[in-house]
Amino acid sequence: MTQVDMRPQAGDTVSGASSVESGVREKGLGGNSVGLVGNAVIGISTVAPVYCLTATLGPTVGEVGLQMPAIFLAGFLPMLLVAFAYRELNKAVPDCGTSFTWSVKAFGPRVGWMCGWGLLVATIVVLSNLAGVATSFFYLLLGELTGSADVAALDDNKAAHILTTLVFIAAATAISYRGITATKWVQYALVGLQLAVLVMFVYMALTKSDEVANSIDFSWSWMNPFGVESFAAFTAGLSLSIFIYWGWDACLSVNEESTGSAKTPGRAAMLAMVVIVVSYLMVAIAAQMYAGVGEKGTGLGNPETSDNVFAVLAEPIMGSGMGILLFVAVVASAAASLQTTFIPVARTALAMSTYQAMPASFAKVHPRFKTPGRATVVAGVATGVFYSVMTLVSENVLVDTIYALGLMICFYYAITAFACVWYFRGELRHSLRNLMIKGIFPGVGALMLTAVFGQTLYDMWDPAYGSGSSLFGVGSVFVIGVGLLLLGAVIMAVMQRRSPAFFRGEVLTTDTPALVVED
């Protein structure tokens, strides 16, 4: 299909006075395509609450035990504080490059490029895990429906698993290529299904919690983050907790395609986060009351089932008939998120290319679908290659990449929050609101994420961190996380030779806005 190259060439004019002054450019995306509810649905769908819960309930309990609900709350706090930064930066510069664009304007091209790379590589890792989980539960679901253990066991066959995962990735890539409104009502239905099944799971777990041997009574001490035994365990749990909130910022990635682009995406992000944190706390408490935190049987601390908790709890809690709904919800969660998670990676690549920070081909927007088609396809290919390689290299790829993902999320979220403080530094003393919303809240969130980043970086050197696998005596989580960030530094050095204008600050300028009078 013919695509339109939206990358501005030398001598091009850019509409809008503010755009001329700041270097922000139009990219050819379809405007006024998404409203408040649709935007919030994109955020919830990208987070994939059912998928995140089945993949992280076990590892989180393994790190912090009974304090899992407290850790979920603790992980929500920096996300909420960072969300204020995203909201304020989006009001000032509603650009689909989000973290990349904003950090360039605050700190310059090199910091901005690495921040954008952190978002890109984190998204590729998430996409690969989403596809892997979708495949695992797809075969579990087929096994339940057919009553065949052999069908369910196909997931253990590497060739079958990888091939099926690649099919999921290809399907999601094709759907994302056609635009964010192509399956709007399907996304509404899938998100609604996830939330409805989670409510059913919570209700049934609570009503049956006094019928099983390992069940425990609720205690308010579960909500105390200071009850975690060590700071290392706290930061490991917090890293996992931060992971389960990742994706809400997809709301901001469609700012140029939203109605009311300056305000709607920020409001949608806040709405999505409230729905997500309530869902997580309900499930965490209910699951812990029913299954306990033991390391055997259905206990949440059982290392043999830690990466797929719902597969073990579905039938005991919901019964053989209703339990299938939980499998359907996980497949729906992963599949829906697999589609919407292409949004931030493709639009960040589009923005980086538009501003000459990446090859020009990524700036091509499809003339009919108004989507960054080339960037979407390349993201799909990169996801398939990454997952295939990691699956062949490591038996524990899911656990290790989730742990490594926490490092990358902290990296680019923290830079974005710091960018908010620095970008608005001239406004902070003009009002108490500016000081709190543009300064203190984002600054505290950034410091919290930086602390988690530093502690996680130290801890993951140990081969015992994550799945326990290693490479040349170094923990595989460290190798994955740090290796991917260093790869970005190498690619940046190559791009600096190819696109010197961007790295000289001539394309996207570093500036501080004039004082904005608040509504």
Side-chain angles (χ1 to χ4, degrees):
M1 294 183 181
T2 303
Q3 294 192 0
V4 179
D5 188 350
M6 296 302 298
R7 177 171 171 153
Q9 304 300 318
D12 282 0
T13 58
V14 183
S15 61
S18 62
S19 295
V20 173
E21 295 171 0
S22 65
V24 173
R25 296 171 170 176
E26 296 290 337
K27 302 172 190 67
L29 297 169
N32 298 319
S33 300
V34 187
L36 176 63
V37 175
N39 210 317
V41 166
I42 287 175
I44 297 171
S45 178
T46 305
V47 170
V50 181
Y51 151 71
C52 285
L53 285 167
T54 192
T56 57
L57 282 172
T60 306
V61 166
E63 296 291 348
V64 302
L66 290 170
Q67 283 5 91
M68 175 175 60
I71 291 298
F72 280 1
L73 272 179
F76 174 70
L77 179 59
M79 292 293 100
L80 177 63
L81 297 177
V82 169
F84 283 108
Y86 272 76
R87 188 183 70 176
E88 297 305 313
L89 286 167
N90 181 71
K91 285 182 182 179
V93 188
D95 187 274
C96 71
T98 61
S99 292
F100 159 74
T101 304
W102 301 330
S103 53
V104 169
K105 295 187 71 60
F107 298 130
R110 290 168 183 80
V111 173
W113 200 98
M114 285 303 299
C115 185
W117 172 258
L119 187 154
L120 290 175
V121 73
T123 308
I124 295 299
V125 172
V126 170
L127 284 168
S128 66
N129 279 289
L130 285 168
V133 169
T135 298
S136 296
F137 271 85
F138 173 72
Y139 280 117
L140 281 173
L141 178 60
L142 285 182
E144 288 290 326
L145 293 175
T146 60
S148 172
D150 291 336
V151 172
L154 284 174
D155 187 53
D156 297 325
N157 183 301
K158 277 195 175 183
H161 178 90
I162 292 175
L163 181 60
T164 307
T165 300
L166 293 178
V167 170
F168 272 111
I169 293 171
T173 303
I175 294 171
S176 299
Y177 186 90
R178 294 180 61 85
I180 58 177
T181 60
T183 57
K184 179 174 68 175
W185 294 108
V186 175
Q187 284 293 336
Y188 286 170
L190 293 178
V191 169
L193 172 65
Q194 290 181 64
L195 297 179
V197 172
L198 286 181
V199 170
M200 293 171 59
F201 175 85
V202 169
Y203 174 76
M204 293 182 176
L206 292 177
T207 56
K208 293 183 177 181
S209 62
D210 58 350
E211 300 176 4
V212 292
N214 296 326
S215 65
I216 52 179
D217 293 331
F218 171 76
S219 172
W220 284 107
S221 64
W222 298 354
M223 314 303 290
N224 176 19
F226 299 103
V228 181
E229 293 182 356
S230 68
F231 185 68
F234 176 83
T235 54
L238 192 60
S239 179
L240 288 165
S241 180
I242 288 170
F243 158 72
I244 66 175
Y245 291 106
W246 181 89
W248 57 267
D249 52 315
C251 298
L252 285 301
S253 295
V254 294
N255 47 22
E256 296 186 42
E257 298 154 272
S258 300
T259 55
S261 60
K263 294 184 178 181
T264 299
R267 292 170 176 169
M270 293 292 185
L271 175 59
M273 290 184 70
V274 169
V275 172
I276 291 162
V277 71
V278 171
S279 301
Y280 285 170
L281 286 177
M282 289 169 52
V283 173
I285 292 172
Q288 199 158 279
M289 288 179 64
Y290 177 87
V293 295
E295 298 182 357
K296 296 181 179 179
T298 59
L300 299 180
N302 187 339
E304 296 181 1
T305 61
S306 63
D307 63 342
N308 204 342
V309 169
F310 285 159
V312 180
L313 295 181
E315 185 172 341
I317 291 178
M318 303 183 71
S320 58
M322 297 292 287
I324 293 178
L325 278 178
L326 195 53
F327 293 163
V328 172
V330 176
V331 174
S333 177
S337 182
L338 190 60
Q339 177 198 334
T340 55
T341 302
F342 274 101
I343 291 173
V345 67
R347 281 149 185 79
T348 298
L350 168 67
M352 293 179 75
S353 180
T354 299
Y355 299 123
Q356 302 177 24
M358 289 187 72
S361 60
F362 293 116
K364 292 182 178 179
V365 173
H366 195 282
R368 175 185 173 190
F369 302 131
K370 301 297 182 183
T371 59
R374 180 70 61 83
T376 301
V377 172
V378 172
V381 172
T383 299
V385 171
F386 178 83
Y387 189 80
S388 299
V389 171
M390 292 304 297
T391 302
L392 293 172
V393 168
S394 172
E395 293 290 338
N396 303 294
V397 60
L398 186 61
V399 173
D400 284 343
T401 52
I402 286 176
Y403 274 94
L405 181 62
L407 185 75
M408 289 176 280
I409 291 172
C410 289
F411 176 77
Y412 85 85
Y413 274 171
I415 291 177
T416 306
F418 280 129
C420 179
V421 178
W422 189 248
Y423 185 74
F424 293 112
R425 64 191 183 279
E427 300 183 13
L428 300 184
R429 289 189 288 180
H430 288 284
S431 70
L432 179 62
R433 180 198 180 278
N434 282 353
L435 177 63
M436 299 299 294
I437 301 300
K438 298 180 179 181
I440 292 177
F441 287 174
V444 171
L447 290 173
M448 292 177 68
L449 292 175
T450 301
V452 175
F453 179 89
Q455 182 65 42
T456 303
L457 195 64
Y458 174 81
D459 292 338
M460 64 172 47
W461 179 270
D462 187 346
Y465 193 88
S467 68
S469 57
S470 63
L471 182 66
F472 302 117
V474 180
S476 60
V477 180
F478 184 95
V479 174
I480 294 171
V482 176
L484 289 173
L485 289 178
L486 290 177
L487 176 62
V490 173
I491 297 175
M492 183 178 70
V494 173
M495 288 306 306
Q496 187 167 345
R497 294 175 64 90
R498 295 185 58 181
S499 303
F502 168 78
F503 290 95
R504 288 196 300 262
E506 298 172 0
V507 180
L508 187 61
T509 61
T510 303
D511 57 23
T512 301
L515 176 63
V516 177
V517 178
E518 302 296 340
D519 294 339

